[in-house]
Amino acid sequence: MATSILMPKLGMTMTEGTVEEWLKQPGDTVKEGEGIVTISSDKLTSEVEAPADGILLKVIKNVSEEAEVGESIGIVGQAGEEVGEATSTFEKEITEPTAEVQEKAVQQVEQQPEGHQDMKGPQRKRRISPAARKKAKHYP
């Protein structure tokens, strides 16, 4: 089964990266963990490792092309494997909560005891060390 080579997130603020150099060419054999492509962001340059053993089937982003974090930049698979357009890009799935999940959340909120506010406010029981309790008795 073909495996996408995804643009990694090198830093907290990285949103896209640039392909600097392909270390392997389509048709070359690759081993999992072996460097396959060099990418760069605003601050860092890094080598991306092959996600699986196989053959580099397709290069989706060429040298100097940019890709968003999580976007497919290449595909590794087995010899003779067909690679369609469906596997050439990584699509982020954003799922809406189902009606069942929403109903369960509403029930949990309704079942909270009166005055319970996630342990905030005057209802919260505070822990006091014995030394602090003793000292507090002397100061009204």
Side-chain angles (χ1 to χ4, degrees), residues 29-41:
T29 302
V30 296
K31 299 265 188 223
E32 184 175 355
E34 176 183 20
I36 195 168
V37 62
T38 304
I39 57 127
S40 67
S41 67

Side-chain angles (χ1 to χ4, degrees), residues 7-125:
M7 177 63 72
K9 185 170 186 172
L10 299 177
M12 295 291 291
T13 59
M14 181 179 166
T15 57
E16 63 184 18
T18 305
V19 174
E20 291 293 320
E21 175 186 11
W22 281 97
L23 304 173
K24 299 286 185 172
Q25 298 304 314
D28 290 352
T29 302
V30 296
K31 299 265 188 223
E32 184 175 355
E34 176 183 20
I36 195 168
V37 62
T38 304
I39 57 127
S40 67
S41 67
D42 294 336
K43 300 177 183 180
L44 301 169
T45 299
S46 180
E47 193 172 279
V48 177
E49 298 176 350
D53 291 341
I55 295 173
L56 179 59
L57 296 176
K58 185 175 183 181
V59 170
I60 297 170
K61 296 292 182 179
N62 293 310
V63 175
S64 299
E65 288 186 334
E66 292 184 352
E68 291 184 24
V69 170
E71 186 177 353
S72 182
I73 57 175
I75 299 174
V76 173
Q78 300 304 316
E81 194 170 352
E82 291 292 320
V83 180
E85 287 301 312
T87 59
S88 65
T89 59
F90 175 76
E91 295 182 21
K92 297 176 186 171
E93 283 188 31
I94 300 175
T95 57
E96 293 293 323
T98 62
E100 182 181 314
V101 172
Q102 288 177 343
E103 185 178 318
K104 193 172 186 178
V106 168
Q107 287 175 355
Q108 287 177 348
V109 170
E110 289 173 351
Q111 291 174 356
Q112 289 181 350
E114 192 66 32
H116 176 76
Q117 299 170 354
D118 293 333
M119 300 303 284
K120 293 180 182 175
Q123 308 297 332
R124 186 172 79 179
K125 184 176 181 179

